[in-house]
Amino acid sequence: MFESSTREIPAPRKVPRHIAIIMDGNGRWAKQRMLPRVAGHRKGVEAVRTTVRACIERGVEFLTLFAFSSENWRRPAEEVSILMQLFLRALEQEVAKLDENGIRFKVIGDTARFEPRIRELIAAGEALTAQNARLTLTVAATYGGRWDIAQAAHKLIAANPEAAQTFAPEALERFLSMAYAPEPDLFIRTGGEQRISNFLLWQLAYAEFYFTDMLWPDFDAAALETAIASYRQRERRFGRTSEQVEASD
Ligand code: IPE
Ligand code: IPE
Ligand code: MG
């Protein structure tokens, strides 16, 4: 399934097939309202529901959301614990609804770091929804792009020790945690920062980047529409000249 933008040029599309989002700004949203940070995270879960719905309406096939990074473990123990509780509750309450809506649910990340109950719910949710095809919703949790590349390299060498001689990108891609999905076409980051923060380092090679100051809890269908409109204005050259792109259309 992995369609590599450095091996083949993806077909142009009006609606991005795969959108990847760094959902940032929950803490600031709460702070602006003199609320505890958890209030922002809670509201952020609502924005996730809205965005999933909007993606289905738009015909987006893959939505990948960065929920908790490898580096977020550095946060105060209390906030980490609250985020884990929220994730646990979301798994308990939302997975059945995802299934009813024909959504395939996936989690990528170093999930061995999660408590057993969360790991069980993830496994159950993935199994329940495995055959759904309307939208693939991937939650990146305890995920880091460097972790992903390192674990893929480890698996590649374990599967084929001779691969260490050539180490071709195509060989590695099969073992990346999102090998089931095409690369993201559109990358969105809310919250005003313009950085990747160790998200999908390999997979974003040719994604179009869109940054907005809007805080994640405020993100909605209209905001998604604005991001897609910006994406439509881009000329995706994948290394070619503009003339080549025009001739190929
Ligand atoms: C994103 O919001 C959610 C997580 C990283 C879990 P933040 O919690 O980073 O919010 P800000 O950046 O402090 O506003
Ligand atoms: C990135 O947000 C991770 C998630 C949204 C889950 P952060 O708020 O952790 O990123 P930095 O620390 O500002 O780069
Ligand atoms: Mg942040």
Side-chain angles (χ1 to χ4, degrees):
M1 178 60 176
F2 197 99
E3 287 162 27
S4 176
S5 58
T6 48
R7 200 165 59 245
E8 285 156 35
I9 297 166
R13 313 168 173 265
K14 286 209 169 108
V15 173
R17 189 170 180 207
H18 183 174
I19 299 181
I21 308 182
I22 297 188
M23 310 182 289
D24 198 16
N26 293 352
R28 280 163 284 166
W29 184 93
K31 196 170 180 185
Q32 283 174 1
R33 288 161 181 77
M34 316 246 260
L35 294 168
R37 292 177 62 84
V38 62
H41 296 315
R42 266 200 215 107
K43 190 82 179 152
V45 177
E46 280 177 39
V48 169
R49 284 193 208 103
T50 308
T51 304
V52 168
R53 230 173 288 132
C55 281
I56 289 177
E57 277 161 20
R58 303 300 316 231
V60 173
E61 292 173 47
F62 295 85
L63 172 65
T64 302
L65 302 174
F66 204 7
F68 191 87
S69 73
S70 325
E71 290 68 41
N72 287 145
W73 290 106
R74 294 170 176 160
R75 293 197 177 187
E78 196 197 327
E79 177 157 348
V80 170
S81 161
I82 284 172
L83 286 167
M84 292 301 143
Q85 280 173 42
L86 275 179
F87 190 38
L88 186 96
R89 210 162 307 144
L91 286 165
E92 284 172 344
Q93 295 175 356
E94 308 288 336
V95 169
K97 286 186 236 163
L98 295 176
D99 187 45
E100 282 162 24
N101 286 293
I103 298 166
R104 174 165 69 146
F105 174 66
K106 301 281 260 179
V107 174
I108 54 167
D110 189 7
T111 49
R113 297 184 73 176
F114 283 134
E115 58 177 86
R117 177 79 184 129
I118 293 186
R119 291 208 303 271
E120 285 163 22
L121 286 165
I122 291 171
E126 288 186 338
L128 177 72
T129 62
Q131 305 306 321
N132 296 342
R134 204 165 173 205
L135 170 80
T136 297
L137 170 66
T138 301
V139 174
T142 188
Y143 179 88
R146 291 186 177 176
W147 164 83
D148 197 0
I149 295 167
Q151 68 81 29
H154 187 83
K155 284 185 186 154
L156 169 64
I157 303 304
N160 176 13
E162 277 160 31
Q165 306 295 323
T166 50
F167 225 90
E170 305 82 85
L172 194 76
E173 279 166 355
R174 290 174 38 220
F175 296 101
L176 289 169
S177 55
M178 286 204 82
Y180 56 85
E183 289 175 28
D185 302 293
L186 172 61
F187 162 94
I188 299 173
R189 182 172 187 146
T190 61
E193 313 297 348
Q194 303 196 357
R195 54 180 173 246
I196 299 190
S197 298
N198 199 17
F199 194 24
L200 301 162
L201 298 179
W202 182 288
Q203 297 87 339
L204 291 172
Y206 268 105
E208 298 299 328
F209 281 55
Y210 177 83
F211 297 99
T212 171
D213 288 338
M214 182 179 277
L215 303 173
W216 176 252
D218 292 324
F219 199 82
D220 59 9
L224 182 77
E225 185 59 46
T226 308
I228 293 176
S230 166
Y231 168 86
R232 284 218 181 101
Q233 306 275 313
R234 317 281 177 94
E235 182 181 56
R236 303 191 76 191
R237 290 192 287 276
F238 297 103
R240 299 163 299 169
T241 66
S242 207
E243 290 73 16
Q244 286 176 297
V245 175
E246 277 159 29
S248 76
D249 283 347

